[in-house]
Amino acid sequence: MQQESFLYIPLMPLVAFAINILLGRRLFKDHAHWIAIAAVAGSFVLSLLTLKGVLNGHVFNFDLYTWLSSGDLRVSVGFMIDQLTAVMLIVVTTISLLVHIYSIGYMHGDNGYYRFFAYLSLFTFSMLMLVMSNNFLQLYFGWEAVGLCSYFLIGFWYEKRSAAVAAKKAFIVNRFGDFGFGLGVILVFLTFGSLHYDTVFRGLTSIVGQTVNILGIQANLSTVIALLLFCGAAGKSAQIPLHVWLPDAMEGPTPVSALIHAATMVTAGVFMVARTNPLFNASPTAMTVVAIVGGLTALFAATIALVQNDIKRVIAYSTVSQLGYMFIACGVGAYAAGIFHLYTHAFFKALLFLGAGSVMHAMQGELNVQKMGGLKRHMPITFWTMLLASLSISGIPGLSGFFSKDEILWRAFSCHNPAGVIVWMLATAAALMTAFYSFRVVFLTFYGDFRGDPEVGKHLHESPYTMTLPLIVLGVGAVAAGYVGIPHVLGGHDRFAVFMSSVVGEPSGEGEAAKEWAVMIFSVIVSLAGIGGAYFMYIKHPELPKKFAERFSTAHRVLLNKYYVDEIYELLIIRSFYWISDNILNRLTDRTLIEGIVNGVPSLVNWLGGRLRLLQTGVLLHYTMIMATGLMIIAFYVLLSIWNTL
């Protein structure tokens, strides 16, 4: 491919957005999907050609044109096409294309049909610009653009208050992380004099041992830069404490959940850390922070998912947990393993969300798994594909999730980072819970008797082919995607890690084959124990969950309320912000100071004018006396001046 041809990969979705948003309402209406699908399909084909070229050794890093030039700052619109970019292009365009097709059936009849597909196209463009960028500012542009698109899509049904609130929450929470990310980008420029990746990475040796003064504390410069960048990753990829926006984002249409909050946007943080791996490698402290935050998030989110009843919310917390796995891998230096899990996760997690959407379609919008049951015989395609996705995310051998998840567990266990064993234990505990809550959803949704509204039960049916076809394709991916990374211990050549090694380096953790086998077998046993526990509680003894909830009511209540993190933020941040806004910004600053000046000066002039008007009596004698008095004062002043000169 010629260098200029790479521009068409993001350009086609952008053109589709412009056509649909400007003309869709009048000209296309219910046919707006054709333009959007044709555009993303074109990007998908070009992405496949790009992958083929990269496999053949064709790697590019070039600037198309100068975007910004001011003093020493020069930023271009350019592309870096390498192994990491190729993988992300396949993930983004594949999932986006399938979600576009799925949305034809899911969004059929919606008044904003053309607008929905316009937003999907804009999101795809933004994500493609993010992953193809060759400099930090273009990365930041794509970063903020996908955040804006998430606001549009989460709040797509803006008449619904909960959706509007969730959209604002996602946008505002990400501002906290993006503020740190922005500071990191500024510090990169101030340190290296450039925002281009290759220039920055080449200059890393020049800052070894350098420190920066922060509030009187000397901190390692590379650590500060890496942690500031990680602030953005923690926000975009929903890591604690900035995870709170992702579960609420499920208020948007289900295809949005699959595209933005499972397969692409939330993985931007993982991609960014992998792309800037030389910066993180330069700071062992930052690497440890990334690994520990990922491990804590993986376990934290998994515990919450154990008791949630909203089917999309369970999957949302599962996403948060799986993102934690990816950061564990990056934190222990196994970036290829993290990207490998990102790649496989895109298939089975998108499948879980779209499968949940299919269930909702049959259940007329019902989300509570406690009101489902027995759907297996009515929705066989949805059942089997969701079962495959659940087996894959649980790490059952032979499916894609097994290869990528176990690679992370092994790299954490065998790495040289002191935190490796700790995060391995956290991730293993999360694996047990992942298998449990994934099959809890399967058993409550598809097995047993129907527990919902009898009228809804009379009309249960499989979704149309526009929805089931993407499920089948994603089901194939949930099974087969992992076979590109079969590890050496299983007789494979770990092709994915070899493919990625020139970008992210070799993993830091190695060890004996016997130990790797032991870790792998133990993780499989843990996963099977989780599935067995769910079967025991929800199939064999369905009365047990209620008994456990009553017996451990406090723990159950804490998990059901998500550790009250939202309530804590409400108390410490939101109410404080409202108090400051009302008492300081509104009453003191606005009403007292600003309005005091704006309204006070005219009032003073009016008061003085009123006093001066008292002199205007209309009586000639008064005016004569005033003038005479004035003349006397002037004469006295003149005589006094002459006297002083004598």
Side-chain angles (χ1 to χ4, degrees), residues 28 51 109 111 177 187 203 207 273 279 282 288 349 532 540 636 643:
F28 304 113
L51 176 62
N111 292 331
L187 190 55
I207 67 168
V273 173
L279 278 169
T288 301
K349 186 52 62 67
K540 298 295 291 183
F636 176 77
W643 176 266

Side-chain angles (χ1 to χ4, degrees), residues 338-492:
I339 297 300
F340 187 32
H341 196 56
L342 182 157
Y343 159 71
T344 61
H345 174 264
F347 290 96
F348 57 71
K349 186 52 62 67
L351 176 53
L352 285 171
F353 269 116
L354 296 185
S358 181
V359 170
M360 290 171 59
H361 183 268
M363 292 288 297
Q364 299 181 18
E366 180 60 63
L367 289 166
N368 192 339
V369 292
Q370 302 293 347
K371 297 181 180 180
M372 299 178 186
L375 300 186
K376 176 181 177 182
R377 59 182 177 274
H378 301 286
M379 309 179 69
I381 297 177
T382 301
F383 164 71
W384 285 109
T385 52
M386 285 195 73
L387 179 63
L388 286 174
S390 299
L391 289 168
S392 187
I393 196 175
S394 299
I396 300 304
L399 286 83
S400 62
F402 162 76
F403 297 109
S404 58
K405 186 199 74 173
D406 276 39
E407 181 72 9
I408 293 174
L409 292 174
W410 167 241
R411 295 301 177 186
F413 182 83
S414 63
C415 78
H416 304 302
N417 191 319
V421 175
I422 296 175
V423 296
W424 170 77
M425 290 189 292
L426 294 173
T428 302
L432 173 67
M433 298 178 188
T434 299
F436 181 88
Y437 66 66
S438 296
F439 275 84
R440 172 178 177 264
V441 169
V442 170
F443 293 143
L444 287 175
T445 303
F446 295 102
Y447 287 82
D449 298 324
F450 184 72
R451 300 179 299 277
D453 187 338
E455 287 301 315
V456 174
K458 294 178 182 178
H459 304 286
L460 293 174
H461 61 282
E462 184 61 272
S463 299
Y465 74 93
T466 54
M467 295 173 68
T468 55
L469 180 60
L471 295 182
I472 295 171
V473 175
L474 288 170
V476 173
V479 174
Y483 283 87
V484 299
I486 300 176
H488 293 286
V489 72
L490 293 179

Side-chain angles (χ1 to χ4, degrees), residues 410-411 413-414 487-491 509-522:
W410 167 241
R411 295 301 177 186
F413 182 83
S414 63
H488 293 286
V489 72
L490 293 179
E510 294 294 343
E512 300 176 1
K515 291 183 179 179
E516 187 171 355
W517 268 107
V519 171
M520 184 182 301
I521 293 172
F522 181 70

Side-chain angles (χ1 to χ4, degrees), residues 3 16 83 98 102 181 359 366 398 447 511 581 589:
Q3 291 185 356
Q83 290 82 354
L98 293 173
Y102 179 93
F181 184 51
V359 170
E366 180 60 63
Y447 287 82
S581 299
T589 305

